[in-house]
Amino acid sequence: MQIYNTMTRKKEEFIPLEAGKLKLYACGPTVYNYFHIGNARAFIFFDVVRRYFEHLGYDVTYVQNITDIDDKIIAQSIEEKIEFHTIADKYSNAFLEDCARLGVKKPHHQPRATEVMPAIIAYIDELVKQGYAYESGGDVYFSAESLPEYGSLSGKKIEDQMAGARVEENTLKRHSADFTLWKKSKPGEPIWQSPWGEGRPGWHTECVVMSQQYLGETFDIHGGGIDLVFPHHENELAQALALRHKPLANYWMHNGFLNVEGVKMSKSLNNFFTARDILDQFSAEAIRFFFLSKHYRSPIDFNREIIEESEKAVSNFYSSIKQLLLSQSKSYSDLKAALAIDPELDKIKLEFDRSMQDDFNTAKAVASLFDLNRIVRSDAQDPAFRLKAAALLVNLGEVLGFFGKLEETLKDKTPDLSRQLIELIISLRAKVREEKNWALSDSIRDQLAALGVEIKDGKEGCTWSIKG
RNA sequence: GGCGACAUAGCCAAGUGGUAAGGCAGAGGUCUGCAAAAUCUCCAUCCCCGGUUCAAAUCCGGGUGUCGCCUCCA
């Protein structure tokens, strides 16, 4: 398994800390708003990472934080004139709902910052005691200069940051590269008691505390969007290095951005679409396909036409499987049971694995799905072989998070009476066809189509399906 | 100013030294009363210039263009 490690800027062979186990942490949202479709890319991608390791037989522990105290939440609570924790609850619930709609498997743990406040305070206190952080005017800052390794993840040097003219002047800081661990609260803001007075945590400590609490002082993979490399992950790492003298994670993975017309989608640029809006327009699997058809580290342009194409691709898979099962009078469980070893199909499976193990080349892995799809659709192939191919298609598709709705879709929800009526009409039409009354025959087909019943005349007779 | 990424057909997109995966769209053939499906075939020399090499989309140098990080952000 090759994984591109942001720390070393190259692909490395993945070696787990403990054989057969994966400890994975990926940054979740700060819950001050509905998340946008760009955020969804990260959630979907790390869902695929998790699924793939599970597919390989790993015992995976996946932890994702929910940051529910932060400046932006406070700002939003003022804007909506509601208490901050009500805002946090509202948007964390929305986050959970939207992820479920996106077909993202629930992480094993989703801790919230406010639940681990004593641990956060203790962590900061320890940093102060060991001389890596200092109190200043009721705030606490991490001293970047105190840690020689500071900047190793993002490749930034403290001196270079000085050159950036946009670093905000903060006279409480000893050095402009220092970052806030604890903020003294202003009147009306939520407060926690601390050794430095009333205040609230800065942005980064909660992730260190929560990840280490569930995964240990060092874990396998830490992930998130590319923008988190600096400052968020750099600052998490700094705290862990300072206190534990060990890397926080062995592999750092970052997904690229979603752009809109070439420019990144972000809440601050206000050029975003919420995932919930997009989910109302496209299926979750089409959205997933859209993301997975490009390598995760590359930027991807939000494009409705391409998502529509993705919609076609996904429904093509579904209809291939559906048609095959229909023609063989097989059920969903027959399909699942048909997964078997087959030399020819194993080649495709091997290719799929090869793609995935090359730093999650999902775009290439998807091509393997199409290889299988071609077999499933092909009349020229042996029926048993086609069924096996379909079983593998579903099996590998599920690794990428597809086919979650397959079982449901296959259930024939047509009421008995409707079914009998449709079949009656078709049998009457068959008589008309025997008489070669094509005009009437076609008219019946058109009228049924108008009602959403699609019929196809094959050599073996006529098949029908309900559209939509 | 510092650091980094990307540039492949009409569109999306793999490919990191051996002569361009896959998808969508398109063209043509077979099949079919027609439609659909199926099936077969066709459709790029990889931003520009120079270099290394028997051999480069793939390595090196120089351009051009687009984007990102350095400030909240997946």
Side-chain angles (χ1 to χ4, degrees), chain A residues 281-301:
Chain A
Q281 295 163 46
F282 301 99
S283 75
E285 290 184 58
I287 294 166
R288 183 175 285 259
F289 188 95
F290 167 72
F291 284 129
L292 298 186
S293 63
K294 185 148 184 174
H295 188 86
Y296 76 92
R297 283 190 280 116
S298 306
I300 187 169
D301 215 67

PDB file of all heavy atoms in Angstrom, chain A residues 281-301:
ATOM      1  N   GLN A 281     -30.400  17.955  -5.507  1.00  0.00           N
ATOM      2  CA  GLN A 281     -30.392  17.994  -6.973  1.00  0.00           C
ATOM      3  C   GLN A 281     -29.791  16.752  -7.614  1.00  0.00           C
ATOM      4  O   GLN A 281     -30.103  16.417  -8.747  1.00  0.00           O
ATOM      5  CB  GLN A 281     -29.603  19.224  -7.445  1.00  0.00           C
ATOM      6  CG  GLN A 281     -30.264  20.534  -7.049  1.00  0.00           C
ATOM      7  CD  GLN A 281     -29.288  21.689  -7.139  1.00  0.00           C
ATOM      8  OE1 GLN A 281     -28.574  21.821  -8.116  1.00  0.00           O
ATOM      9  NE2 GLN A 281     -29.234  22.508  -6.106  1.00  0.00           N
ATOM     10  N   PHE A 282     -28.882  16.119  -6.877  1.00  0.00           N
ATOM     11  CA  PHE A 282     -28.208  14.943  -7.435  1.00  0.00           C
ATOM     12  C   PHE A 282     -28.192  13.839  -6.388  1.00  0.00           C
ATOM     13  O   PHE A 282     -28.274  14.101  -5.192  1.00  0.00           O
ATOM     14  CB  PHE A 282     -26.763  15.279  -7.813  1.00  0.00           C
ATOM     15  CG  PHE A 282     -26.629  16.383  -8.822  1.00  0.00           C
ATOM     16  CD1 PHE A 282     -26.344  17.680  -8.409  1.00  0.00           C
ATOM     17  CD2 PHE A 282     -26.806  16.134 -10.178  1.00  0.00           C
ATOM     18  CE1 PHE A 282     -26.233  18.704  -9.332  1.00  0.00           C
ATOM     19  CE2 PHE A 282     -26.690  17.150 -11.110  1.00  0.00           C
ATOM     20  CZ  PHE A 282     -26.405  18.440 -10.691  1.00  0.00           C
ATOM     21  N   SER A 283     -28.043  12.614  -6.873  1.00  0.00           N
ATOM     22  CA  SER A 283     -27.991  11.513  -5.928  1.00  0.00           C
ATOM     23  C   SER A 283     -26.628  11.496  -5.234  1.00  0.00           C
ATOM     24  O   SER A 283     -25.627  11.976  -5.771  1.00  0.00           O
ATOM     25  CB  SER A 283     -28.220  10.187  -6.639  1.00  0.00           C
ATOM     26  OG  SER A 283     -27.072   9.816  -7.365  1.00  0.00           O
ATOM     27  N   ALA A 284     -26.612  10.953  -4.040  1.00  0.00           N
ATOM     28  CA  ALA A 284     -25.377  10.871  -3.261  1.00  0.00           C
ATOM     29  C   ALA A 284     -24.313  10.104  -4.030  1.00  0.00           C
ATOM     30  O   ALA A 284     -23.137  10.451  -4.004  1.00  0.00           O
ATOM     31  CB  ALA A 284     -25.650  10.184  -1.925  1.00  0.00           C
ATOM     32  N   GLU A 285     -24.741   9.074  -4.726  1.00  0.00           N
ATOM     33  CA  GLU A 285     -23.757   8.259  -5.429  1.00  0.00           C
ATOM     34  C   GLU A 285     -23.182   8.978  -6.644  1.00  0.00           C
ATOM     35  O   GLU A 285     -22.039   8.751  -7.017  1.00  0.00           O
ATOM     36  CB  GLU A 285     -24.354   6.904  -5.816  1.00  0.00           C
ATOM     37  CG  GLU A 285     -24.566   6.051  -4.587  1.00  0.00           C
ATOM     38  CD  GLU A 285     -25.071   4.652  -4.894  1.00  0.00           C
ATOM     39  OE1 GLU A 285     -24.396   3.925  -5.628  1.00  0.00           O
ATOM     40  OE2 GLU A 285     -26.145   4.303  -4.391  1.00  0.00           O
ATOM     41  N   ALA A 286     -23.978   9.830  -7.263  1.00  0.00           N
ATOM     42  CA  ALA A 286     -23.458  10.615  -8.378  1.00  0.00           C
ATOM     43  C   ALA A 286     -22.398  11.593  -7.859  1.00  0.00           C
ATOM     44  O   ALA A 286     -21.348  11.780  -8.481  1.00  0.00           O
ATOM     45  CB  ALA A 286     -24.576  11.366  -9.072  1.00  0.00           C
ATOM     46  N   ILE A 287     -22.662  12.185  -6.724  1.00  0.00           N
ATOM     47  CA  ILE A 287     -21.708  13.114  -6.119  1.00  0.00           C
ATOM     48  C   ILE A 287     -20.417  12.375  -5.779  1.00  0.00           C
ATOM     49  O   ILE A 287     -19.308  12.831  -6.060  1.00  0.00           O
ATOM     50  CB  ILE A 287     -22.315  13.762  -4.858  1.00  0.00           C
ATOM     51  CG1 ILE A 287     -23.505  14.646  -5.261  1.00  0.00           C
ATOM     52  CG2 ILE A 287     -21.272  14.555  -4.088  1.00  0.00           C
ATOM     53  CD1 ILE A 287     -24.379  15.073  -4.102  1.00  0.00           C
ATOM     54  N   ARG A 288     -20.577  11.203  -5.209  1.00  0.00           N
ATOM     55  CA  ARG A 288     -19.424  10.387  -4.849  1.00  0.00           C
ATOM     56  C   ARG A 288     -18.636  10.005  -6.102  1.00  0.00           C
ATOM     57  O   ARG A 288     -17.416  10.108  -6.142  1.00  0.00           O
ATOM     58  CB  ARG A 288     -19.910   9.129  -4.109  1.00  0.00           C
ATOM     59  CG  ARG A 288     -18.826   8.208  -3.606  1.00  0.00           C
ATOM     60  CD  ARG A 288     -19.434   7.064  -2.799  1.00  0.00           C
ATOM     61  NE  ARG A 288     -19.866   7.478  -1.478  1.00  0.00           N
ATOM     62  CZ  ARG A 288     -19.167   7.244  -0.352  1.00  0.00           C
ATOM     63  NH1 ARG A 288     -18.026   6.587  -0.398  1.00  0.00           N
ATOM     64  NH2 ARG A 288     -19.618   7.652   0.808  1.00  0.00           N
ATOM     65  N   PHE A 289     -19.355   9.573  -7.129  1.00  0.00           N
ATOM     66  CA  PHE A 289     -18.692   9.193  -8.372  1.00  0.00           C
ATOM     67  C   PHE A 289     -17.918  10.364  -8.953  1.00  0.00           C
ATOM     68  O   PHE A 289     -16.782  10.223  -9.418  1.00  0.00           O
ATOM     69  CB  PHE A 289     -19.724   8.691  -9.384  1.00  0.00           C
ATOM     70  CG  PHE A 289     -19.115   8.095 -10.627  1.00  0.00           C
ATOM     71  CD1 PHE A 289     -18.923   6.730 -10.724  1.00  0.00           C
ATOM     72  CD2 PHE A 289     -18.723   8.907 -11.674  1.00  0.00           C
ATOM     73  CE1 PHE A 289     -18.337   6.179 -11.857  1.00  0.00           C
ATOM     74  CE2 PHE A 289     -18.134   8.376 -12.808  1.00  0.00           C
ATOM     75  CZ  PHE A 289     -17.945   7.005 -12.892  1.00  0.00           C
ATOM     76  N   PHE A 290     -18.542  11.508  -8.914  1.00  0.00           N
ATOM     77  CA  PHE A 290     -17.901  12.728  -9.412  1.00  0.00           C
ATOM     78  C   PHE A 290     -16.562  12.959  -8.710  1.00  0.00           C
ATOM     79  O   PHE A 290     -15.541  13.202  -9.356  1.00  0.00           O
ATOM     80  CB  PHE A 290     -18.847  13.913  -9.183  1.00  0.00           C
ATOM     81  CG  PHE A 290     -18.205  15.259  -9.351  1.00  0.00           C
ATOM     82  CD1 PHE A 290     -17.862  15.719 -10.618  1.00  0.00           C
ATOM     83  CD2 PHE A 290     -17.952  16.063  -8.249  1.00  0.00           C
ATOM     84  CE1 PHE A 290     -17.269  16.968 -10.776  1.00  0.00           C
ATOM     85  CE2 PHE A 290     -17.360  17.309  -8.400  1.00  0.00           C
ATOM     86  CZ  PHE A 290     -17.014  17.762  -9.672  1.00  0.00           C
ATOM     87  N   PHE A 291     -16.548  12.846  -7.405  1.00  0.00           N
ATOM     88  CA  PHE A 291     -15.301  13.056  -6.665  1.00  0.00           C
ATOM     89  C   PHE A 291     -14.285  11.949  -6.947  1.00  0.00           C
ATOM     90  O   PHE A 291     -13.103  12.209  -7.138  1.00  0.00           O
ATOM     91  CB  PHE A 291     -15.559  13.121  -5.159  1.00  0.00           C
ATOM     92  CG  PHE A 291     -16.154  14.428  -4.712  1.00  0.00           C
ATOM     93  CD1 PHE A 291     -17.301  14.455  -3.930  1.00  0.00           C
ATOM     94  CD2 PHE A 291     -15.562  15.625  -5.070  1.00  0.00           C
ATOM     95  CE1 PHE A 291     -17.845  15.668  -3.514  1.00  0.00           C
ATOM     96  CE2 PHE A 291     -16.107  16.842  -4.657  1.00  0.00           C
ATOM     97  CZ  PHE A 291     -17.253  16.859  -3.880  1.00  0.00           C
ATOM     98  N   LEU A 292     -14.763  10.727  -6.960  1.00  0.00           N
ATOM     99  CA  LEU A 292     -13.834   9.608  -7.088  1.00  0.00           C
ATOM    100  C   LEU A 292     -13.289   9.458  -8.500  1.00  0.00           C
ATOM    101  O   LEU A 292     -12.320   8.744  -8.720  1.00  0.00           O
ATOM    102  CB  LEU A 292     -14.507   8.304  -6.642  1.00  0.00           C
ATOM    103  CG  LEU A 292     -14.942   8.261  -5.173  1.00  0.00           C
ATOM    104  CD1 LEU A 292     -15.444   6.877  -4.816  1.00  0.00           C
ATOM    105  CD2 LEU A 292     -13.813   8.673  -4.229  1.00  0.00           C
ATOM    106  N   SER A 293     -13.893  10.148  -9.447  1.00  0.00           N
ATOM    107  CA  SER A 293     -13.380  10.027 -10.806  1.00  0.00           C
ATOM    108  C   SER A 293     -12.144  10.901 -11.012  1.00  0.00           C
ATOM    109  O   SER A 293     -11.564  10.917 -12.085  1.00  0.00           O
ATOM    110  CB  SER A 293     -14.455  10.352 -11.838  1.00  0.00           C
ATOM    111  OG  SER A 293     -14.859  11.680 -11.703  1.00  0.00           O
ATOM    112  N   LYS A 294     -11.751  11.595  -9.978  1.00  0.00           N
ATOM    113  CA  LYS A 294     -10.482  12.327 -10.052  1.00  0.00           C
ATOM    114  C   LYS A 294      -9.646  11.981  -8.830  1.00  0.00           C
ATOM    115  O   LYS A 294     -10.179  11.710  -7.764  1.00  0.00           O
ATOM    116  CB  LYS A 294     -10.744  13.837 -10.114  1.00  0.00           C
ATOM    117  CG  LYS A 294      -9.481  14.639 -10.318  1.00  0.00           C
ATOM    118  CD  LYS A 294      -9.696  15.901 -11.122  1.00  0.00           C
ATOM    119  CE  LYS A 294      -8.372  16.611 -11.362  1.00  0.00           C
ATOM    120  NZ  LYS A 294      -8.474  17.750 -12.247  1.00  0.00           N
ATOM    121  N   HIS A 295      -8.330  11.993  -9.004  1.00  0.00           N
ATOM    122  CA  HIS A 295      -7.459  11.655  -7.874  1.00  0.00           C
ATOM    123  C   HIS A 295      -7.664  12.642  -6.723  1.00  0.00           C
ATOM    124  O   HIS A 295      -7.804  13.838  -6.942  1.00  0.00           O
ATOM    125  CB  HIS A 295      -5.996  11.641  -8.298  1.00  0.00           C
ATOM    126  CG  HIS A 295      -5.104  11.119  -7.217  1.00  0.00           C
ATOM    127  ND1 HIS A 295      -4.861   9.768  -7.063  1.00  0.00           N
ATOM    128  CD2 HIS A 295      -4.490  11.740  -6.202  1.00  0.00           C
ATOM    129  CE1 HIS A 295      -4.090   9.599  -6.001  1.00  0.00           C
ATOM    130  NE2 HIS A 295      -3.850  10.783  -5.458  1.00  0.00           N
ATOM    131  N   TYR A 296      -7.645  12.113  -5.512  1.00  0.00           N
ATOM    132  CA  TYR A 296      -8.036  12.955  -4.373  1.00  0.00           C
ATOM    133  C   TYR A 296      -7.141  14.153  -4.122  1.00  0.00           C
ATOM    134  O   TYR A 296      -7.579  15.142  -3.538  1.00  0.00           O
ATOM    135  CB  TYR A 296      -8.141  12.102  -3.088  1.00  0.00           C
ATOM    136  CG  TYR A 296      -6.812  11.717  -2.459  1.00  0.00           C
ATOM    137  CD1 TYR A 296      -6.219  12.505  -1.467  1.00  0.00           C
ATOM    138  CD2 TYR A 296      -6.140  10.556  -2.836  1.00  0.00           C
ATOM    139  CE1 TYR A 296      -4.998  12.154  -0.885  1.00  0.00           C
ATOM    140  CE2 TYR A 296      -4.931  10.194  -2.274  1.00  0.00           C
ATOM    141  CZ  TYR A 296      -4.358  10.998  -1.295  1.00  0.00           C
ATOM    142  OH  TYR A 296      -3.156  10.665  -0.726  1.00  0.00           O
ATOM    143  N   ARG A 297      -5.883  14.064  -4.552  1.00  0.00           N
ATOM    144  CA  ARG A 297      -5.000  15.204  -4.256  1.00  0.00           C
ATOM    145  C   ARG A 297      -5.103  16.314  -5.292  1.00  0.00           C
ATOM    146  O   ARG A 297      -4.586  17.412  -5.078  1.00  0.00           O
ATOM    147  CB  ARG A 297      -3.545  14.724  -4.147  1.00  0.00           C
ATOM    148  CG  ARG A 297      -3.254  14.032  -2.825  1.00  0.00           C
ATOM    149  CD  ARG A 297      -1.772  13.776  -2.594  1.00  0.00           C
ATOM    150  NE  ARG A 297      -1.301  12.601  -3.305  1.00  0.00           N
ATOM    151  CZ  ARG A 297      -0.393  12.632  -4.282  1.00  0.00           C
ATOM    152  NH1 ARG A 297       0.141  13.780  -4.640  1.00  0.00           N
ATOM    153  NH2 ARG A 297      -0.028  11.535  -4.882  1.00  0.00           N
ATOM    154  N   SER A 298      -5.738  16.041  -6.425  1.00  0.00           N
ATOM    155  CA  SER A 298      -5.861  17.077  -7.445  1.00  0.00           C
ATOM    156  C   SER A 298      -7.046  17.974  -7.157  1.00  0.00           C
ATOM    157  O   SER A 298      -8.051  17.516  -6.624  1.00  0.00           O
ATOM    158  CB  SER A 298      -6.093  16.439  -8.809  1.00  0.00           C
ATOM    159  OG  SER A 298      -5.102  15.496  -9.082  1.00  0.00           O
ATOM    160  N   PRO A 299      -6.923  19.215  -7.535  1.00  0.00           N
ATOM    161  CA  PRO A 299      -8.113  20.066  -7.427  1.00  0.00           C
ATOM    162  C   PRO A 299      -9.165  19.575  -8.418  1.00  0.00           C
ATOM    163  O   PRO A 299      -8.828  19.010  -9.456  1.00  0.00           O
ATOM    164  CB  PRO A 299      -7.602  21.451  -7.812  1.00  0.00           C
ATOM    165  CG  PRO A 299      -6.303  21.233  -8.506  1.00  0.00           C
ATOM    166  CD  PRO A 299      -5.760  19.916  -8.046  1.00  0.00           C
ATOM    167  N   ILE A 300     -10.415  19.779  -8.080  1.00  0.00           N
ATOM    168  CA  ILE A 300     -11.481  19.339  -8.976  1.00  0.00           C
ATOM    169  C   ILE A 300     -12.462  20.490  -9.131  1.00  0.00           C
ATOM    170  O   ILE A 300     -12.727  21.219  -8.182  1.00  0.00           O
ATOM    171  CB  ILE A 300     -12.163  18.067  -8.422  1.00  0.00           C
ATOM    172  CG1 ILE A 300     -13.163  17.465  -9.408  1.00  0.00           C
ATOM    173  CG2 ILE A 300     -12.847  18.337  -7.093  1.00  0.00           C
ATOM    174  CD1 ILE A 300     -13.639  16.087  -8.993  1.00  0.00           C
ATOM    175  N   ASP A 301     -12.922  20.667 -10.343  1.00  0.00           N
ATOM    176  CA  ASP A 301     -13.819  21.787 -10.588  1.00  0.00           C
ATOM    177  C   ASP A 301     -15.265  21.344 -10.459  1.00  0.00           C
ATOM    178  O   ASP A 301     -15.665  20.352 -11.063  1.00  0.00           O
ATOM    179  CB  ASP A 301     -13.566  22.374 -11.981  1.00  0.00           C
ATOM    180  CG  ASP A 301     -13.763  23.882 -11.989  1.00  0.00           C
ATOM    181  OD1 ASP A 301     -12.959  24.585 -11.338  1.00  0.00           O
ATOM    182  OD2 ASP A 301     -14.725  24.347 -12.622  1.00  0.00           O
TER     183      ASP A 301
END
